[in-house]
Amino acid sequence: MSISRRDFNKLLVSGVAGSAFGLFGMTGTSFAAGGAKKHVVVVGGGFGGAATAKYLRKLDPSLAVTLIEPKAAYVTCPFSNWVLGGLKTMKDITHTYAALHAKHGVNVIADRVVAVDPAKGTVKLSGGKTIGYDRLVVSPGIDFKFDAIPGYSQKIAESKIPHAWQAGPQTLLLQRQLHAMKNGGTVVICPPDNPFRCPPGPYERASLVAHYLKANKPKSKIIILDAKEKFSKQGLFTKGWERLYPGMIEWRSATGGGKVLKLDADKMTLETDLGAVKGDVINIIPAQKAGKIAFDAGLTNEKGWCPINPSSFESTIHKGIHIVGDACVAGAMPKSGFAASSQGKVAAAAIVNLLRGQEPAPPSLVNTCYSLIGPKYGVSVAGVYQLSATGIVDIPGSGGLTPADASDDQLEQEALFAEGWYTNICKDIWG
Ligand SMILES: Cc1cc2nc3c(=O)[nH]c(=O)nc-3n(C[C@H](O)[C@H](O)[C@H](O)COP(=O)(O)OP(=O)(O)OC[C@H]3O[C@@H](n4cnc5c(N)ncnc54)[C@H](O)[C@@H]3O)c2cc1C
């Protein structure tokens, strides 16, 4: 399928990309009419899990679907950088599960899954209950490799040096630190090596923290100590920083003094190959792996992610269990909320087919990532994906990047499209 970037963005903004790309190659008949209800359990109510739960019920209302998620409300990482920039509030990015239950008939249980028994087809909850499933979907997101940087730990992250890579209390901690910092202070952001959740996210963070500092503490600066040699949308970010925040943001590549060797949390100092860097606020984004339950359930490979069959997102390790979102190995797709929801819809369609004794239809998968560099300065990267012998690959010529010579009007439109994208995807998943 070939689709222009312009048409693609229109679909995304109008929120119809899922159906427009023919994700649901299946008939609408209900397989369980007259029979016992099949039960699908979904672990995790984020972008991947909540989308899967809702679309399972939409695709086959005869299914019983149970979503298990410990949090009463979900705070999105998308737009949490906007909160740091003072452009959104925490309330704006918080979504409850009320509509999933009331409007879509998903049974929502506020608990944590602590064990999975693939042989028996059951999950155990921390409250002690055991629940049986016909098919299980696991979308637990990420966990952190806190020991990747000597001197860093979960305890330090929770109290002093937040990662803010799971939105909620961590976002608020980082925000409080930015607000308390003196004018003329230094913010140090340390992004990890690939693969990690939201490749452009650290650089959007630097942009929107710069937006806040420019307005409130203009003598301050931001140093990015990167574990990589290059990063997503690098040319667009660099150009935006020069235009909006000249002299404020300094990016250091891994071999240019960016690789963090050690943290001294007491002295608020990071050791690098080219000497020590002191921060008034330090934001370490640690290296990542699949969420804990994926390990406990034996769903991960040697790299700490979950291998799947890309036509159904079924685990290649345990039959009957599907993994979507950041935790799975999804080839060329980045670890993003849009990708997770797109995978959730494909998994939902595949599960309905499999429960009917049919093969999953070949999926088309989509992603777009908007990043805000300033309130009227947005950029994006978009992709459409298909299956090949090697897994999920980009469809050549599909999607694309904001042009390097985009006009001010185009950049302002991208910022507007970002808002539209957020409103639509949240409504699509939790509405
Ligand atoms: C700063 C930032 C900005 C971002 N911006 C964008 C953006 O603009 N666009 C975009 O597309 N993506 C963006 N992302 C990426 C996006 O947030 C993730 O890719 C997305 O959240 C992945 O969805 P998921 O379902 O895999 O995991 P999550 O959304 O993290 O959901 C996992 C859920 O599982 C629950 N859970 C975990 N373990 C268990 C268990 N044992 N039992 C029950 N529940 C459990 C958790 O409580 C959580 O609610 C951004 C990320 C960051 C950090």
Side-chain angles (χ1 to χ4, degrees):
M1 180 190 307
S2 164
I3 185 160
S4 75
R5 174 181 167 78
R6 192 182 161 80
D7 290 343
F8 179 72
N9 276 340
K10 268 198 232 154
L11 288 170
L12 298 177
V13 169
S14 65
V16 297
S19 54
F21 285 95
L23 296 180
F24 312 122
M26 46 182 290
T27 59
T29 51
S30 179
F31 74 97
K37 271 195 174 187
K38 295 283 183 186
H39 187 208
V40 183
V41 172
V42 181
V43 183
F47 278 84
T52 315
K54 176 167 168 179
Y55 274 81
L56 279 164
R57 288 280 305 158
K58 276 171 98 81
L59 290 166
D60 193 331
S62 78
L63 280 180
V65 178
T66 299
L67 174 67
I68 303 166
E69 162 66 54
K71 294 188 288 245
Y74 176 82
V75 185
T76 64
C77 284
F79 277 39
S80 63
N81 288 331
W82 296 43
V83 172
L84 298 175
L87 303 169
K88 293 280 172 200
T89 65
M90 290 299 278
K91 190 164 171 262
D92 294 331
I93 62 167
T94 301
H95 305 272
T96 74
Y97 297 101
L100 274 186
H101 175 64
K103 280 166 65 180
H104 305 289
V106 175
N107 176 30
V108 182
I109 298 181
D111 207 336
R112 175 173 292 279
V113 172
V114 290
V116 177
D117 187 331
K120 286 192 186 142
T122 59
V123 297
K124 191 166 179 224
L125 309 192
S126 69
K129 246 190 194 163
T130 297
I131 299 178
Y133 62 80
D134 292 295
R135 292 237 160 213
L136 181 68
V137 180
V138 179
S139 186
I142 50 160
D143 248 315
F144 300 104
K145 296 180 179 171
F146 287 107
D147 55 359
I149 295 179
Y152 190 57
S153 66
Q154 183 167 357
K155 199 164 160 229
I156 288 172
E158 281 165 6
S159 57
K160 196 165 183 190
I161 299 183
H163 51 74
W165 223 239
Q166 281 161 334
Q170 281 277 299
T171 317
L172 287 170
L173 177 59
L174 182 55
Q175 187 187 47
R176 275 199 302 277
Q177 292 180 345
L178 293 169
H179 288 185
M181 192 182 81
K182 64 175 190 272
N183 187 7
T186 301
V187 179
V188 186
I189 301 176
C190 311
D193 203 350
N194 296 315
F196 68 102
R197 160 177 286 185
C198 195
Y203 315 96
E204 181 191 62
R205 173 164 295 170
S207 310
L208 295 185
V209 169
H211 169 72
Y212 165 75
L213 295 176
K214 188 178 169 185
N216 297 283
K217 296 162 190 189
K219 291 187 201 149
S220 310
K221 63 176 184 173
I222 299 169
I223 300 174
I224 304 173
L225 297 179
D226 214 322
K228 300 181 288 303
E229 291 305 307
K230 56 182 183 168
F231 63 88
S232 171
K233 304 182 212 171
Q234 184 161 355
L236 295 170
F237 275 113
T238 307
K239 188 172 173 188
W241 294 342
E242 280 162 10
R243 287 189 59 191
L244 300 184
Y245 316 112
M248 192 178 246
I249 302 176
E250 183 193 341
W251 175 74
R252 297 185 193 169
S253 69
T255 51
K259 190 170 168 42
V260 175
L261 304 174
K262 201 173 159 189
L263 165 75
D264 185 331
D266 291 333
K267 294 191 179 143
M268 291 292 280
T269 300
L270 296 146
E271 196 177 307
T272 75
D273 287 324
L274 301 185
V277 178
K278 193 169 164 45
D280 295 283
V281 173
I282 299 179
N283 171 215
I284 291 181
I285 303 165
Q288 295 157 30
K289 56 188 175 181
K292 182 174 181 303
I293 189 67
F295 284 85
D296 295 348
L299 295 166
T300 48
N301 63 15
E302 68 293 346
K303 292 189 173 149
W305 303 103
C306 304
I308 46 102
N309 171 346
S311 63
S312 60
F313 286 82
E314 185 168 4
S315 167
T316 54
I317 301 173
H318 286 306
K319 282 222 142 308
I321 303 182
H322 302 250
I323 304 113
V324 297
D326 288 354
C328 78
V329 180
M333 295 188 88
K335 297 191 183 299
S336 81
F338 196 120
S341 76
S342 183
Q343 294 160 5
K345 291 171 186 177
V346 167
I351 288 168
V352 170
N353 275 355
L354 287 164
L355 288 172
R356 290 174 181 169
Q358 297 166 3
E359 280 303 303
S364 243
L365 291 143
V366 293
N367 177 63
T368 194
C369 277
Y370 287 98
S371 300
L372 204 67
I373 300 181
K376 293 187 175 177
Y377 198 123
V379 294
S380 66
V381 60
V384 187
Y385 308 87
Q386 66 186 5
L387 302 197
S388 77
T390 57
I392 300 174
V393 294
D394 269 309
I395 298 180
S398 68
L401 199 64
T402 301
D405 60 353
S407 67
D408 288 353
D409 277 354
Q410 281 174 298
L411 296 166
E412 190 171 342
Q413 274 174 24
E414 293 260 35
L416 203 65
F417 293 160
E419 292 245 23
W421 170 82
Y422 184 80
T423 306
N424 283 323
I425 196 164
C426 291
K427 188 153 186 263
D428 186 30
I429 296 176
W430 296 281

